[in-house]
Amino acid sequence: MQPNPSTVTSGAVRRGLQGSGTHWPSVVFQVLLAASLLFTLVALLVLLADVLGRGMPVLSERGIDFLTAPLSSDPAKAGVGQALWGTFVIGVIVVGVAFPLGVATAVYLEEYATGSRLTRLVDVNIRNLAGVPSIVYGLLGLAVFVGLFKWLGLGNGRNVIAGGLTVAVLVLPIVIITAAEAIRAVPISIREAGYGVGASRWQVTAKLVLPAAFPGILTGIVLSLSRALGETAPLILAGAVLGSFSSGNADLLGQLLGPYTALPMVVYRWTTLPQDEFRQLAAAGMVVLLAITFAANGLAIYLRNRYSRVW
Amino acid sequence: MSIDSVTVTEPVIRLEAVDLYYGTFRAVRDISYAFPANAITALIGPSGCGKSTLLRSINRMNDLVPGARATGRMLYHGEDLYGHGVDPVEVRRRIGMVFQKPNPFPKSIYDNVAFGPRVNGIKGDLDDLVEASLRRAALWDDVKDKLRQSGLALSGGQQQRLCIARAIATEPEVILMDEPCSALDPRSTLQIEELMLELKTRYTIIIVTHNMQQAARASDETVFLTMGDDRAGYLVEAGTTSDLFTNPRSQLTEDYVSGRFG
Ligand SMILES: Nc1ncnc2c1ncn2[C@@H]1O[C@H](COP(=O)(O)OP(=O)(O)OP(=O)(O)O)[C@@H](O)[C@H]1O
Ligand SMILES: [Mg+2]
C-alpha cells in the first residue's frame, strides 16, 4: 500500500530513502574481498622486493657482462648469455610454430567445422590437453623431437630446436583455446553482414572475423609466450643442459644443433649450487626473466590498443 | 481495372510450395508467391510466424544456421536458388540484405561501403562507387567529410543508412530488409521509407515490418503470414497493399491489420 503523497512529510521520505542503516553481511563480504586482494598484492610485492633486493646488486655491478657472459663454475664470471640465447630461440620457435598452427586450428574449429560431433570431441580434448602437466610434454618432446633429430643424425638430438618445438606443443592448446574464444566473441551479425554482401567464407574469416578477433588472439599469444619462456620441466627432459657447457666458436647452425640451456633452467641450476654467490646470480637471472615477461606483456597491450584504434 | 493501370512485370522471385525447417521443426509451410520486380513487398504477421526465416532463406542466409533447410522451389528469374551447383555467395551478391539491428563493420565508413565491391572484384573507380552508394542511401551529406571515421561512430539511423549503402554498393537486384527501422526513431524511420521509395526504381525490395502504418505507407504489395496450430507459419492473404488493408478477404487479416490481434 502506497502512502498518500500529500500526507508524507519530507522527513519520512528522507528516512525511507536512507534505509535502515548498515547492512552487515555486505560489509563483511566487501572486507573479505578487499583482504584477498591485499593478500595477493602483498605476496607479489614481497616476492618482487626479495628478488630485486638480491638480484639488483649483481646486475648493477656486472651490468652487460652478466647478460652476455657464458655459464661458468666461477660465480664472478658466470652470466646468462647462453641462457638468453636459448630462451630467445625458444621464443622464436614458439611464435613461429604454435601461433600459426593454433590460430589456424581455432579458425577451422570455429568457422569451418562448427557443430559436428568430431569438432566437439576435438574441442573437449584440446581443453583437457591444456591441463596436462608440462612434464608430460617433456616426455613427448624427448620421444618425438629429440628422437627425430637423433634419428636424422644431428648429434644426440638434444638441441634448442627440439626444446622449442616441445614448448610450442605445450602452449598450443592454450593458443587454440584463447584464439577460439576470441573468434567466438565476434558477433554473428558481423559475419552475416559480410555474407550479405556476397563475401565468401574465406573472405568473411580473413577480412572481418580475424581482424575483429585480433586483439583477443594477441592477448592469448602473449600469455602463452610468457608461459613458454618460464617453463623448466619439459626442457629438462627435452635435453636442456643443466651444467655449464661451451658453445665455443660454433656458427649459428652449430649453436642451433648443439647443447643449449634457457633462463629458467639456469636460475634453477644456480639455486641448487652450494655457494651463496650463485643464489644472488639466480635472483639476478629471475629479474631478467621477469623483465622479459613484463616487456612481452607490455608489447601485447600496446599492440592491442593500436589495433583496436584502427576501427 | 483497365490493363494499363497495372504495371505488368515479370516476377523476380517466385516461391512454389516452400516449406522451411529448423531440424525437424517446420517453421514455415507451403508458401507460394511471386514477388514483383521494382516494387516494395511487405511481409507482415505476428511474432514467430516465420517472416525472418522466409526472408533469410531467399538469399540463402539461413544456410549459416545449422539444421536449417528448405523444400519446395524458390526461383530467381526462373532459376532454382537451391538448385544443384548454385553458389550461395553468388546468390547473396544478387540478393542483398539489411538487418534489423544496424551492423556496420568495425571499419571506416568508406571501407564499409567498399567492402562488397572489393570482395566481389568490381572494377571501376571505387571512390565514385562509394559516393554514389552513399548518395543513394541519403547519407552522403552527413558523412562526406568523415569517410575515414569508424562506421560505428554514427547514430543508429545513420548506421542503418550506411548498411543500406553497403548493400546497394554491390549492385544487387533484390534487397531484403528485416525490420530495418525497428531500432530507429520516427524521423529516421521516415527517412528510410523515403529512401526505399527512391530505391525501388532500381531494386526490388522485400521488407519485414511490424509497423502497419509503415507497410501501408511504403509498400506496393503485402503478404500476411500467421501461425497455424502446428506453429508453422503459412500465407493467409497477399495482394496489393491497398486491397489488403482496405478490403481484406480473411477475418484473420482484418483483425491483424486493424491491430486487434498480434
Ligand atoms: N535458429 C533457429 N533455430 C531454431 N528455430 C528457430 C531459429 N530461428 C527461428 N526459429 C523458429 O522459427 C520460427 C519462426 O521464427 P522467425 O524468426 O522467422 O519469426 P519472425 O516472424 O521473424 O518473428 P519476429 O517478428 O519476432 O521477428 C519460430 O518458432 C522460431 O522459434
Ligand atoms: Mg524476425
Side-chain angles (χ1 to χ4, degrees):
Chain A
M1 186 71 187
Q2 292 289 314
N4 181 345
S6 58
T7 65
V8 178
T9 65
S10 67
V13 171
R14 194 180 323 119
R15 275 193 303 281
L17 289 175
Q18 282 167 348
S20 54
T22 324
H23 186 236
W24 282 107
S26 56
V27 172
V28 171
F29 192 55
Q30 208 169 339
V31 168
L32 275 177
L33 290 181
S36 35
L37 172 69
L38 207 66
F39 178 79
T40 317
L41 275 183
V42 167
L44 245 172
L45 284 178
V46 168
L47 210 75
L48 262 181
D50 181 53
V51 170
L52 284 176
R54 284 193 291 153
M56 282 320 277
V58 178
L59 278 176
S60 51
E61 192 185 314
R62 302 266 312 269
I64 290 294
D65 176 49
F66 177 74
L67 297 180
T68 53
L71 294 166
S72 162
S73 51
D74 177 359
K77 290 207 191 109
V80 293
Q82 291 161 318
L84 270 181
W85 164 249
T87 292
F88 172 74
V89 175
I90 289 172
V92 169
I93 292 177
V94 168
V95 172
V97 173
F99 301 149
L101 270 182
V103 174
T105 307
V107 166
Y108 181 74
L109 287 177
E110 290 300 315
E111 298 293 312
Y112 284 80
T114 47
S116 80
R117 191 166 297 168
L118 182 71
T119 311
R120 280 198 295 275
L121 194 73
V122 171
D123 204 64
V124 168
N125 276 299
I126 289 173
R127 276 166 203 283
N128 285 334
L129 282 179
V132 168
S134 56
I135 191 89
V136 177
Y137 285 97
L139 283 172
L140 176 97
L142 181 64
V144 176
F145 299 123
V146 174
L148 177 75
F149 284 109
K150 202 159 152 190
W151 181 74
L152 288 173
L154 301 170
N156 59 5
R158 294 166 177 271
N159 57 48
V160 69
I161 303 180
L165 289 174
T166 305
V167 181
V169 173
L170 164 77
V171 298
L172 196 52
I174 312 173
V175 177
I176 296 172
I177 291 172
T178 45
E181 251 144 40
I183 289 171
R184 210 173 308 147
V186 176
I188 184 89
S189 63
I190 296 285
R191 294 182 176 83
E192 288 189 339
Y195 287 119
V197 291
S200 65
R201 198 199 295 247
W202 162 245
Q203 287 165 332
V204 168
T205 304
K207 295 179 191 235
L208 297 175
V209 175
L210 282 182
F214 188 72
I217 293 177
L218 206 65
T219 312
I221 285 175
V222 169
L223 283 181
S224 23
L225 187 62
S226 309
R227 162 116 197 254
L229 298 185
E231 279 295 343
T232 324
L235 289 183
I236 297 179
L237 287 180
V241 175
L242 262 183
S244 56
F245 62 92
S246 152
S247 317
N249 305 324
D251 57 2
L252 183 67
L253 195 68
Q255 288 191 18
L256 287 179
L257 296 176
Y260 74 102
T261 190
L263 257 181
M265 297 284 300
V266 168
V267 169
Y268 167 68
R269 167 70 180 160
W270 280 339
T271 54
T272 62
L273 292 178
Q275 298 100 310
D276 234 13
E277 292 94 322
F278 274 115
R279 258 181 290 294
Q280 286 177 8
L281 288 186
M286 283 185 218
V287 174
V288 175
L289 188 56
L290 282 176
I292 293 177
T293 314
F294 285 161
N297 279 309
L299 181 71
I301 294 171
Y302 168 74
L303 285 176
R304 195 171 53 194
N305 292 344
R306 207 192 111 99
Y307 279 91
S308 315
R309 231 177 290 135
V310 170
W311 298 355
Chain B
M1 205 185 290
S2 73
I3 188 72
D4 53 8
S5 75
V6 265
T7 344
V8 184
T9 50
E10 189 211 338
V12 183
I13 292 186
R14 179 190 289 279
L15 309 182
E16 292 178 358
V18 170
D19 281 9
L20 302 171
Y21 296 84
Y22 291 105
T24 54
F25 171 64
R26 181 163 64 173
V28 169
R29 94 168 111 88
D30 195 27
I31 306 256
S32 297
Y33 189 70
F35 293 91
N38 295 98
I40 301 175
T41 305
L43 290 182
I44 61 169
S47 194
C49 73
K51 304 177 296 295
S52 299
T53 303
L54 182 62
L55 199 70
R56 291 166 52 92
S57 53
I58 293 176
N59 72 342
R60 298 197 53 175
M61 193 58 88
N62 253 15
D63 286 19
L64 305 176
V65 178
R69 63 198 168 86
T71 64
R73 292 190 351 133
M74 294 191 211
L75 305 172
Y76 170 74
H77 292 296
E79 288 298 315
D80 193 344
L81 289 169
Y82 285 77
H84 185 71
V86 171
D87 182 357
V89 171
E90 290 299 323
V91 171
R92 294 182 203 123
R93 218 192 119 174
R94 289 165 178 76
I95 308 180
M97 188 152 208
V98 176
F99 299 83
Q100 173 168 5
K101 225 174 111 237
N103 56 354
F105 300 129
K107 296 175 181 292
S108 73
I109 293 170
Y110 185 95
D111 288 339
N112 260 280
V113 183
F115 184 86
R118 279 187 182 136
V119 299
N120 289 303
I122 289 180
K123 305 275 184 306
D125 191 336
L126 213 47
D127 291 355
D128 286 349
L129 183 55
V130 168
E131 178 174 343
S133 306
L134 286 168
R135 277 192 193 284
R136 262 185 254 155
L139 190 61
W140 175 250
D141 290 330
D142 295 17
V143 301
K144 61 171 181 272
D145 301 322
K146 45 179 185 181
L147 293 176
R148 297 284 157 198
Q149 284 180 23
S150 168
L152 294 169
L154 297 173
S155 78
Q158 290 172 327
Q159 285 189 17
Q160 196 61 301
R161 277 181 281 155
L162 178 62
C163 292
I164 293 175
R166 179 177 67 190
I168 57 190
T170 52
E171 321 235 297
E173 193 179 351
V174 182
I175 302 178
L176 309 173
M177 300 183 161
D178 194 349
E179 299 183 50
C181 302
S182 65
L184 305 183
D185 71 347
R187 191 164 153 273
S188 312
T189 300
L190 281 179
Q191 276 175 337
I192 303 261
E193 281 173 23
E194 280 164 22
L195 185 58
M196 281 166 28
L197 292 175
E198 270 165 42
L199 292 176
K200 79 172 179 182
T201 55
R202 305 174 63 108
Y203 310 94
T204 299
I205 297 175
I206 306 176
I207 177 175
V208 170
T209 179
H210 276 288
N211 181 332
M212 288 310 106
Q213 285 94 351
Q214 179 167 63
R217 269 194 310 257
S219 73
D220 303 298
E221 305 254 326
T222 299
V223 176
F224 172 56
L225 310 176
T226 195
M227 257 178 297
D229 295 331
D230 55 352
R231 303 193 42 78
Y234 64 96
L235 191 154
V236 178
E237 188 171 345
T240 62
T241 299
S242 53
D243 265 6
L244 194 122
F245 274 82
T246 53
N247 264 324
R249 272 167 288 150
S250 153
Q251 186 65 38
L252 286 171
T253 314
E254 184 173 348
D255 289 350
Y256 187 78
V257 299
S258 62
R260 259 173 282 166
F261 156 71

